[in-house]
Structures are given as structure tokens and as C-alpha cells.
Amino acid sequence: MVSELKINRRSFLKVAGAVGAATMGYASLGQPVIKALAQGVDAAREEKWISSVCIQCPAGCGTKVRVVNGKAVKIEGNPEHPYSNGKLCPKGYAGLQLLYDVDRVKSPLKRTNPNKGQNEDPKFVPVTWDEALDDIADRLKKIRDEGKSHTVAYLSGRNRGRAGTVWGTFTKLYGTPNNLGHSSICADASKKARLCLDGTDDYCAYDWENCNYVLNFGGATLEAWRPTNLMLQKWAHMRRGRPVRAKQVIADTRFSTTAIKADEWLPVKPGTDGGLALGIAHVILTEGLWDRSFVGDFKEIGRKFITGETVANEDFEEVWTSGLVDWWNNVLINFTPSRASQITGIPAGTIIRIAREFATTKPAIAGGERGAGAHTNGAYNHMSIHALNALVGSMFALGGVMYQIGVPYGKLPIDDTEYMDDIAKKVEKDFKEHTLDRIDKAKSDEWPIASNVYQNIPDNHANGNPYKLSVLFTYYTNPLFSNPNPQRAHEAFKDVFIVETSSYLSETALYADYILPDAYYLERWQDDTVYASTGYPVTGLRVPAVQPVYDNRNSMEVIIDLGKRMDGKMGEYYNALGSFENMLHSIAKGFETAPGDNGVNSFDLWAEKGAWYKKPYLYRYSNGKFYEWDGVGYNKELKKTEETVKETKDGKEVETKAIKDPVKDKLLKTKSGKFEFRSSKLGGFTDNQKEVIKKKLKIPDLFEYPHYEEPTFAGKAEGFPLHMSSPKMITHAEGRGANAQWLQERFGVIVGEGWTNWVELNPDKADELGIKNGDVVWVESPVGKVKTIAVINPGNPPWIVVFPFEHGHWNYGRYAKGLGANPNEILANLSDPISAQSCTNATMVRVYRA
Ligand SMILES: Nc1nc2c(c(=O)[nH]1)N[C@H]1C(S)=C(S)[C@@H](COP(=O)(O)OP(=O)(O)OC[C@H]3O[C@@H](n4cnc5c(=O)[nH]c(N)nc54)[C@H](O)[C@@H]3O)O[C@H]1N2
Ligand SMILES: Nc1nc2c(c(=O)[nH]1)N[C@H]1C(S)=C(S)[C@@H](COP(=O)(O)OP(=O)(O)OC[C@H]3O[C@@H](n4cnc5c(=O)[nH]c(N)nc54)[C@H](O)[C@@H]3O)O[C@H]1N2
Ligand code: SF4
Ligand SMILES: [Mo]
């Protein structure tokens, strides 16, 4: 247990020197790790395998860590975790190199140079944990006493499991609405599209196992789309592991690994996925291929939709959907395959064929991720895509689309709400009543359904709009690097007091006033509930495989420790809570009454096996009806019932009749209890919210419908000729994996590059520009220019430039620093008006020899 571990305080790294140190040559890069791994292995061997969970990406794969004489020497997939099944993607294995990265921060550090900037040495000095936490607590108390608690913000990337609870409680009790996440620079467009149409504010979960046809719009199944490791396994299963071979059709702007391996690649023009989906919907309706049990039918037998002809609402009876006729009359009526072809560049004949295949090869899934989403029309693209799932009856069907069921965790040890003092309560009330905005303005009239607007924080802070931040805690996120146009944050964050929790010297760390170095994931306790993916609930547990290599502490324990130093009720809460491990033990109590499929019914078994999960999925749609799993089969139909509810009105007990609609409560959580082709979520906005949103749209009158909004591209008006995308490689772990040397060696698996990123150009385009393979080139956008190398890729269309993400670090230790270039430095800060998704794929560039 961490609380019982004796932390080994070693001599402190002179970080000031390390920050300025020159990058080492490639030949010597692997040496420190190999040495670290070798130490102790020769002595009398004490060997064990510890359960953990990978965190190079958000898939949440369970791992087993081989520990020899206290050193982690190998990471394998945990065979007991249903996402890993004993396997990992390449990144999972590289965790060892991150654990033993010699440039990790080795103790709490305090900044002594007040000036901040890319070329400013922070002049960090080591301090003790007590010194750092006392000082930060004093600062927080003072800000609170001045009535400015809302100016303290917490910004996170990977808030796995109870991390979200710990930070959520801290901000709630302290009294700030600024519990901020990175989801808007991640993949919120698909989530919010789903919220608008079927009422679930989450990514879709999919039954790949039983699916026969996949129509994928910009999800990189074999490189990134989560959960990558499981996706790789499911792909193989769908193609070779069963008698029926599923068809994979991929719309992507580049010839990705996924496109290479798919049955069919649709090289769509950037940002036009919604147009493709709507063209397919038009064919499904005009050819009478929709699923009648789910969608309903014309009263007149055999009638179909006819291009150009409106339909009267009373002529069509819908079953589990609503708004179809309005959608047809307003959006689809003239959205013919030839119109879709003009928009997308995909031939009309192909669109017709794909529509027929998709609607008749059941079960079929339409999905995708950031390709379709990271555009100025991202949410409407994803709405148009998701609507296809309803048209063919795939919602909750075998081989179709579900949502992720939560894990039946036990209650937390204590209820934080009881420890809210007047300041905390007032802030909560003011935020709910919209008299106090968050720094990113999410949930305000400007962004009514956005979860976060991460990319706007630097500008909002710089402009004091709605106010200036005083303190910024950063946990697992790097706003000075992974943001579009991060130069904005370089300027804006000079005057914020930053408390960074990473033990990697990131760009954000270089701006930190304090670094409170987290224990790495192989050194800490942490639960890890999986993201929406397979539908059935899964949670893994990280058990410390090794003692912290340096003087690092689990950020969860550190925040609780900081809380204990606060006055009043907040301090009382943390003293009553005790430790993070208490939380984990409490939530595991839920397993006592709900044992997992692998028999896990206690904390100890969870820790031993590393995973709790429960199959099969709870709900199933079939032939017009929804059913619930009753332990044997999907036998229990979800039906509306009338219930008598007793209420007390004016002191008297009165009985009222209430309709209970389990489908609406559990599955289609919209106002109508149906899948809505005309969104009541959007239609239900206040007049002010509608006005704000409509101003940002090109076709404001259609704002309630999945429709085609022409995408906006930064640089198009100025004549920048090429569309840039910066996708993920299988070797790439968001902005934080460039120090994994094994992965760097083979970073470009397909293009044969390592230790750098590059820009891919089509050969004809390269000829036209006089660029050869390996040439050093400038990539320039309206935002700026960066230098990298050109790779000629004959697979890509001539209008696209592919510039993988992860490199271009100007900090992050000796292995990562100075490799390649950061495409974000030339990305314009554009956001999708509905979801606030940051538009990574919407900047145009020119490329020329340097
Ligand atoms: N290897 C790896 N896997 C990861 C991660 C990682 O860092 N590395 N991170 C995880 C995270 S946080 C996320 S959010 C997911 C993201 O998962 P994905 O969304 O699948 O990944 P991306 O590479 O961001 O984008 C997917 C594809 O969109 C394509 N694309 C660009 N523009 C367009 C367009 O206009 N239309 C279409 N149809 N395609 C387009 C790109 O070429 C790319 O192949 O990946 C997760 N998995
Ligand atoms: N151009 C381009 N930009 C992108 C993307 C893209 O595909 N192309 N992808 C986008 C997507 S999908 C996402 S999700 C975001 C991700 O963007 P961010 O949320 O910024 O995540 P990372 O860039 O991975 O940075 C994570 C930080 O976590 C810190 N860290 C690492 N390990 C630990 C730990 O154990 N504890 C703590 N406390 N900190 C740790 C590292 O120091 C690092 O600074 O990037 C987005 N930006
Ligand atoms: S898919 Fe993600 S969580 Fe799983 S092994 Fe790969 S990087 Fe780790
Ligand atoms: Mo993401």
C-alpha cells in the first residue's frame, strides 16, 4: 500500500541544468533505460507479476507487469481484462521507458525565476512536499478570503476513474466552477451529436463482435479509434474469426493504415462526411430500404420517399423515431447522390451502392471519430452519420450501437456535499443561475451543450473575459503543446500561477510555479473505468508495480493532503476522508453484491486480477421491441406502465397517475423518448441560445436537423492551397509519448521514418512543388510556419497534406526535445459551434522547400 511505502528520497536532479542541456545523440538514447532495467536482475531473483492498466491512450487496457527484484522489466496484456485479452498495442509495452525516463522530475520543484517564456530558465529549486503544499494552501486560502475562489481552475486531460471524483470534490468544496477538461480538443463532436439525437451525452459503444458492415467516417480503427487494442482484435475477428466476413468501408481524407486494410476506401474531401451520410440517407429513403420496425412506415403500403416531393406528416407513422418527415422535407428531399457526390468527391454510383449495401447487410454500424468531427461542421457531420444507425434499425440491436453501462461501484466513504460551506454553495448557485461563468464559458448561452471549451481558455484569460485566472492546476494535459496555436497559451499563461502535477518536464511544466510530480501509472493506485466502447461495464485497477523511482507521489494522495491543509469544512472533509485508498476500498464494496464475470467480488480480488467486468449487454432491440437481460436471455420487454404516485400537496396526500417509460428512461433519453431526426435538445434552446448558435451557422434555419453545413477552412480565403490533417500514428501516445524511445525508433511504421514526424505529399503534388522525398520543407498556414521533412506518399490525394502529431517538443526531457515539429503551431483556433470541438482538420497550408 502506498501509504505504507517508505519513499526513497534520492539526491535531487539539478533540473535547471537539465532543462538547458543539449539533446543527446540517438546512439546513446536507450542506454539509461537498459541500465535501469538490468540493475538487480542478477541478484537472487524475487519475481512477481502485478496487475495494472495502461494509460498511453484512453483505451484502459489491463496489463500485467513483471517485476524482478523491485524493477519492472516487462509489461504484458492482462489475459483477465476483456479489452486486452493478453495483448497490447505497441505503446503499452513502452510504458517501461517512461517509468525509467531519467529526466523525470525527481522531487517537488519551486520556480525561482518569476519571468516565464519559451526561453526562460524557470530556475527550479527542489523543495519538500510539506513546503510546497503549505505554500500552495496559503495562496488558495488568501484567494478564497478575497472572494475570488472562482479564479482558481483545474485543467485535466486523463481524469481516469476516481481522479475525476477527487478533483471534482476539490473544486466543489473550494468554490470554483472551473473544473475543466480537454474533451473539446479531443472528440466531443461525436458525443454531442449523439446527445442531440438519442439523448446520451457520450461516445457510442458498438457490438463489433456481431456486426456485418461497418461504415466508418474518419475513425482510424487500426491506428487510434478507441479502444485501439480491442479494435485491432475485433477487426481481426470480424474478418477471419467467424464464418461471415464483415465488410469495412472507410471514409478518410488520407490513405491511412485503416484505409489500406479496409475493403473499400472512400477518399472524401475534408469536412464533407455529413454530405456523404446525407446522400446515403437519401438513397435509403427513396429506395425504401429503411428499417420499418424501428422507423415506421407510410400508411400507404409500399410507398417510398420520392426525390423533390414533400411528404405530409400524417402520411407516415413513426415507431421509435420522431421528426423523419420534417427531416426529409427540410434536408433530405433534394440531397441526391449526385449532390452528395459534388460535395464529397465520391462518385454518385458508389454512394448509391454503399447505401444499398449498408441498409441491407444487417447488422450494420455507421460511426467514426475525429476525422468527421474535428471540423467547423463536426457535430452536424456526426449527427448525419448517427442518423444512419436509426434508419437501418441498429440502435441497441445485435451487432449495433449501444451506450456504455456504468460500473456498479459502492458508495464513496463520505458525501462531499455535506462539507460545502457558504462560499462553495454560493459559487455553485451562481454558476447554475448563469451569473457566474466558467473561464471557458462552457454551459453559458454561448456554449449551452459543450462540456468544455479548452482551446479558448488562453484567450479568455488574456482578455479577462469573463475574468482572469489566478491559479491553474494542470493534471495530465499540456495546454502549451496540444492546443491549436499553442503560442496563444505561451503568451497568456505568463501571469497565471501554475501548479503542474506531471513528473515529465513538459512545455506546461516550464511555465509552472510548482511541480508536484505524480507517481507514474506503474507506481500508483488508481481505478480505471473504460470509456464508451463495448457497452458492458469494465473497470481495471492499477496496483503499484514498483515503488516510486524518485520522490514522486500519487496526485490523488497529494490533493487530499493539500485539502487537509485547508481551513473549515473543506479541511474537515479531507481529514474525514483520510486517503485515496479509502475511496478505492469503498467503491470496490459494490462488487460484493455484483461479482464480475471473473469472480471479482472484493478489493483484493480486483487488485489481484486487475479487472472487474460484466457481460452481456443489458438491453437489446429486436423487431420493434426493446428487451432487458433477465439473467438468462433478453426476455423482459421494456414497456410503458401506468403507476399511481402518492404526493403531498398543500399538506394533503394526493394520488396521481404517472406513465413510466423505461425506453425513455434508459435508452432513448430524449424529450420524445424516441430517436429524434429533429433534435428537441437543439430545438429546446432558449431564444438567446438559439440566436447565438444560429449566428455561427451557414444554414441557421436547419439548426435542429442533421444537415450539411459547409465547412470553414482557415487559410482558404488567403489562398493557402492544401488541406492539412495531423492524425495519430499507432506509435503515438497523444502529446505525451515522444520520450518513448522504442516507439520513436519505428514512429512511422508505414512510411519508414523514425525520431521525427514529417509531411506527406502526393507524388504529383510534390513534383508540381519541386519537392523530393526527404527534402526539408516549410509548412505554412495563416498562423505561422514550421520546418520538417517531406515524405512522398502515392496513396494520398493531391489536395491533402498529412502531418502526424506528437513531435516538436521544446521541452519534455532529452529523448523528446527537439524531434520533428508540432503541427499545432500552425493550426488556427476554430471550434464547432454546437459541440465546441476544436477543428484540428480545418487549416489549409502551403508547403515549400526550405
Ligand atoms: N495510437 C493512438 N491511439 C489513440 C490515441 C493516441 O494518441 N494514439 N489517442 C486516443 C484519443 S484521445 C482519441 S480522441 C482517439 C481518436 O481516434 P481517431 O479519431 O480515430 O484518430 P485521429 O487520428 O485523430 O483521426 C482519425 C482520422 O481522421 C482522418 N481525417 C482527417 N480529416 C478528415 C475528414 O475530413 N474526413 C474524414 N472522413 N477523415 C478525416 C485522419 O486522416 C485520420 O486517419 O484515438 C485514441 N487512440
Ligand atoms: N494536431 C493535433 N493536435 C491534437 C490531436 C491530434 O490528433 N492532432 N489530438 C487531440 C486529442 S484527441 C487529445 S485527447 C489531446 C491531448 O492533449 P493533452 O490533454 O494536452 O494531452 P497530452 O498532450 O498527452 O499531454 C499530457 C500531459 O500529461 C503529462 N503526464 C504524463 N504522465 C503523467 C502522469 O502520470 N501524471 C500526470 N499528472 N501527468 C502526466 C505529460 O507531462 C503531458 O504534459 O490532443 C489533441 N491535440
Ligand atoms: S490501446 Fe491504449 S491503453 Fe491499450 S495498450 Fe495501447 S496505448 Fe495502452
Ligand atoms: Mo482525444
Side-chain angles (χ1 to χ4, degrees):
M1 311 236 159
V2 154
S3 51
E4 289 164 15
L5 286 179
K6 284 212 184 70
I7 290 165
N8 186 2
R9 284 171 195 263
R10 297 178 187 211
S11 56
F12 300 118
L13 170 79
K14 272 293 261 168
V15 180
V19 169
T23 312
M24 294 172 72
Y26 295 162
S28 58
L29 283 177
Q31 291 309 314
V33 176
I34 292 164
K35 268 191 211 149
L37 296 181
Q39 271 170 29
V41 180
D42 44 24
R45 226 159 64 182
E46 191 214 331
E47 180 174 339
K48 51 188 178 178
W49 287 85
I50 305 289
S51 298
S52 187
V53 182
C54 181
I55 195 169
Q56 313 308 314
C57 93
C61 299
T63 59
K64 286 281 179 188
V65 187
R66 183 175 173 222
V67 182
V68 178
N69 292 349
K71 293 267 168 358
V73 297
K74 182 82 171 82
I75 303 176
E76 295 276 358
N78 179 356
E80 293 239 29
H81 192 288
Y83 282 21
S84 323
N85 302 302
K87 303 167 188 78
L88 294 176
C89 90
K91 296 179 290 301
Y93 300 100
L96 290 178
Q97 291 190 310
L98 306 178
L99 173 68
Y100 292 116
D101 183 333
V102 287
D103 286 337
R104 279 181 67 187
V105 177
K106 297 177 175 57
S107 78
L109 298 177
K110 182 182 176 160
R111 177 183 209 94
T112 57
N113 177 3
N115 301 323
K116 295 185 181 182
Q118 200 164 340
N119 299 315
E120 288 288 347
D121 179 346
K123 299 210 165 75
F124 284 127
V125 292
V127 288
T128 65
W129 283 97
D130 279 336
E131 280 168 326
L133 293 179
D134 281 341
D135 194 21
I136 296 166
D138 286 346
R139 182 175 287 262
L140 292 179
K141 285 184 220 168
K142 193 162 166 276
I143 294 169
R144 206 169 192 263
D145 291 344
E146 289 164 357
K148 292 191 175 148
S149 60
H150 61 279
T151 63
V152 172
Y154 160 64
L155 190 63
S156 71
R158 294 280 154 243
N159 247 349
R160 304 295 294 195
R162 256 14 62 197
T165 315
V166 168
W167 288 104
T169 294
F170 194 87
T171 48
K172 179 170 155 183
L173 297 187
Y174 181 71
T176 173
N178 287 309
N179 177 8
L180 314 161
H182 79 172
S183 63
S184 62
I185 59 162
C186 183
D188 270 352
S190 65
K191 258 190 200 176
K192 299 300 168 182
R194 170 157 215 193
L195 171 66
C196 290
L197 302 190
D198 76 34
T200 291
D201 193 359
D202 201 355
Y203 306 112
C204 289
Y206 303 99
D207 181 8
W208 300 118
E209 196 95 0
N210 295 300
C211 174
N212 287 331
Y213 197 95
V214 181
L215 188 49
N216 176 344
F217 299 80
T221 320
L222 300 180
E223 294 135 293
W225 198 11
R226 2 175 200 228
T228 321
N229 177 15
L230 187 72
M231 291 295 229
L232 292 161
Q233 297 169 45
K234 293 290 177 195
W235 179 291
H237 174 79
M238 290 166 82
R239 315 274 287 191
R240 297 252 175 121
R242 56 184 216 196
V244 179
R245 188 175 188 271
K247 183 163 180 180
Q248 291 274 0
V249 180
I250 309 296
D252 199 303
T253 47
R254 68 182 171 122
F255 196 43
S256 64
T257 307
T258 314
I260 291 168
K261 300 291 279 183
D263 294 279
E264 194 161 350
W265 169 44
L266 306 175
V268 280
K269 291 272 173 67
T272 66
D273 295 78
L276 180 61
L278 294 171
I280 291 171
H282 183 94
V283 176
I284 291 174
L285 292 181
T286 50
E287 298 200 355
L289 301 176
W290 70 89
D291 185 290
R292 283 166 178 72
S293 79
F294 191 79
V295 179
D297 206 351
F298 283 104
K299 289 179 185 162
E300 188 186 323
I301 293 167
R303 188 174 159 191
K304 296 172 191 167
F305 291 84
I306 297 170
T307 304
E309 288 186 17
T310 55
V311 170
N313 259 301
E314 58 273 20
D315 288 355
F316 196 99
E317 260 176 333
E318 285 178 83
V319 182
W320 290 110
T321 63
S322 83
L324 178 71
V325 170
D326 289 346
W327 186 37
W328 169 264
N329 290 341
N330 287 291
V331 177
L332 294 177
I333 184 165
N334 290 314
F335 219 103
T336 57
S338 53
R339 173 151 176 230
S341 174
Q342 276 166 9
I343 292 170
T344 60
I346 306 300
T350 306
I351 296 174
I352 295 170
R353 179 175 50 75
I354 296 286
R356 289 176 185 158
E357 288 175 7
F358 174 71
T360 56
T361 317
K362 295 197 175 196
I365 287 171
E369 202 48 271
R370 297 182 75 254
H375 281 288
T376 58
N377 56 2
Y380 286 113
N381 283 341
H382 270 290
M383 278 187 236
S384 307
I385 294 161
H386 192 39
L388 296 175
N389 289 316
L391 283 184
V392 300
S394 289
M395 294 303 299
F396 300 98
L398 179 82
V401 179
M402 303 154 294
Y403 69 84
Q404 188 71 30
I405 306 272
V407 177
Y409 290 121
K411 272 197 353 202
L412 291 168
I414 43 174
D415 179 4
D416 58 4
T417 309
E418 288 172 15
Y419 292 83
M420 288 173 82
D421 67 4
D422 289 345
I423 295 178
K425 283 182 191 157
K426 182 167 185 323
V427 166
E428 191 179 72
K429 182 165 171 278
D430 291 349
F431 178 60
K432 268 195 191 135
E433 292 175 356
H434 298 286
T435 50
L436 174 67
D437 277 339
R438 277 169 39 163
I439 184 75
D440 65 346
K441 309 254 188 97
K443 313 274 195 296
S444 72
D445 278 1
E446 204 178 326
W447 301 104
I449 59 168
S451 298
N452 297 288
V453 198
Y454 180 104
Q455 65 275 21
N456 285 359
I457 296 171
D459 307 73
N460 293 357
H461 167 74
N463 299 326
N465 174 19
Y467 41 77
K468 280 205 156 266
L469 292 177
S470 53
V471 175
L472 181 67
F473 286 87
T474 47
Y475 177 70
Y476 255 110
T477 194
N478 194 357
L480 271 73
F481 182 81
S482 304
N483 242 326
N485 188 1
Q487 299 89 310
R488 296 172 304 126
H490 301 171
E491 273 316 299
F493 289 165
K494 282 181 177 165
D495 64 353
V496 194
F497 189 88
I498 293 179
V499 181
E500 160 73 320
T501 56
S502 175
S503 73
Y504 299 94
L505 272 172
S506 71
E507 288 68 20
T508 302
L510 201 58
Y511 272 51
D513 293 274
Y514 271 109
I515 298 179
L516 305 178
D518 199 358
Y520 196 51
Y521 75 93
L522 299 166
E523 302 167 328
R524 68 183 186 234
W525 288 104
Q526 193 174 27
D527 60 314
D528 197 287
T529 321
V530 301
Y531 275 30
S533 32
T534 56
Y536 61 84
V538 184
T539 179
L541 185 66
R542 296 191 178 91
V543 177
V546 293
Q547 296 205 2
V549 179
Y550 308 108
D551 185 10
N552 302 341
R553 290 178 66 197
N554 186 345
S555 292
M556 302 301 100
E557 298 290 1
V558 171
I559 292 312
I560 291 168
D561 199 347
L562 179 63
K564 287 179 184 169
R565 291 162 207 255
M566 299 299 290
D567 300 327
K569 287 192 168 185
M570 188 172 182
E572 284 169 32
Y573 166 85
Y574 287 102
N575 282 303
L577 176 69
S579 71
F580 183 58
E581 278 176 58
N582 286 345
M583 266 190 175
L584 297 181
H585 281 274
S586 279
I587 61 168
K589 290 231 179 306
F591 305 151
E592 289 172 8
T593 47
D597 286 0
N598 55 351
V600 167
N601 62 359
S602 66
F603 180 85
D604 288 347
L605 267 179
W606 189 25
E608 185 190 318
K609 295 187 179 257
W612 175 100
Y613 61 94
K614 195 144 193 64
K615 299 178 186 175
Y617 197 69
L618 272 182
Y619 306 105
R620 171 68 54 78
Y621 170 81
S622 173
N623 207 16
K625 291 178 178 159
F626 286 94
Y627 300 92
E628 193 170 329
W629 178 257
D630 67 359
V632 183
Y634 294 97
N635 297 318
K636 195 175 146 201
E637 191 185 340
L638 296 177
K639 280 189 196 159
K640 278 188 192 169
T641 49
E642 201 180 66
E643 280 192 359
T644 310
V645 189
K646 284 187 182 155
E647 274 180 317
T648 323
K649 262 190 192 157
D650 306 326
K652 277 189 204 156
E653 201 171 75
V654 285
E655 285 191 352
T656 50
K657 299 263 185 239
I659 302 284
K660 274 206 90 174
D661 183 348
V663 172
K664 180 175 163 138
D665 292 346
K666 293 174 176 167
L667 302 171
L668 299 169
K669 300 169 195 157
T670 55
K671 199 171 164 200
S672 62
K674 305 279 170 76
F675 188 101
E676 297 182 341
F677 295 119
R678 177 177 190 165
S679 166
S680 63
K681 189 86 204 169
L682 295 172
F685 280 1
T686 63
D687 289 345
N688 192 34
Q689 290 169 343
K690 280 184 194 165
E691 205 180 296
V692 178
I693 297 284
K694 283 178 163 191
K695 268 196 199 132
K696 297 185 192 170
L697 296 180
K698 291 181 180 150
I699 321 182
D701 290 349
L702 296 182
F703 87 102
E704 292 161 85
Y705 301 100
H707 73 277
Y708 185 65
E709 277 286 315
E710 200 192 308
T712 300
F713 296 105
K716 192 175 178 185
E718 295 91 329
F720 288 85
L722 297 164
H723 290 273
M724 185 178 99
S725 78
S726 45
K728 297 171 171 65
M729 303 289 105
I730 188 69
T731 42
H732 150 194
E734 287 156 60
R736 62 179 179 278
N739 53 334
Q741 306 120 71
W742 288 329
L743 300 178
Q744 287 310 314
E745 187 70 37
R746 285 279 170 275
F747 186 70
V749 179
I750 297 293
V751 300
E753 290 294 339
W755 301 105
T756 185
N757 58 355
W758 57 87
V759 281
E760 281 168 45
L761 286 168
N762 160 284
D764 295 340
K765 182 54 69 180
D767 277 352
E768 185 189 316
L769 299 171
I771 295 171
K772 287 192 212 56
N773 206 43
D775 278 355
V776 178
V777 291
W778 285 108
V779 189
E780 185 178 354
S781 81
V783 175
K785 61 178 185 176
V786 291
K787 215 192 269 182
T788 185
I789 55 163
V791 164
I792 312 304
N793 184 339
N796 291 336
W799 52 80
I800 194 92
V801 162
V802 179
F803 192 171
F805 177 48
E806 178 155 287
H807 292 97
H809 282 281
W810 43 273
N811 215 25
Y812 221 85
R814 73 189 67 177
Y815 305 114
K817 190 174 169 179
L819 304 177
N822 183 1
N824 284 336
E825 287 180 14
I826 55 169
L827 282 190
N829 180 29
L830 296 173
S831 305
D832 167 55
I834 302 292
S835 63
Q837 166 90 54
S838 166
C839 305
T840 317
N841 302 321
T843 296
M844 299 191 72
V845 297
R846 70 172 61 100
V847 183
Y848 50 92
R849 279 174 56 182

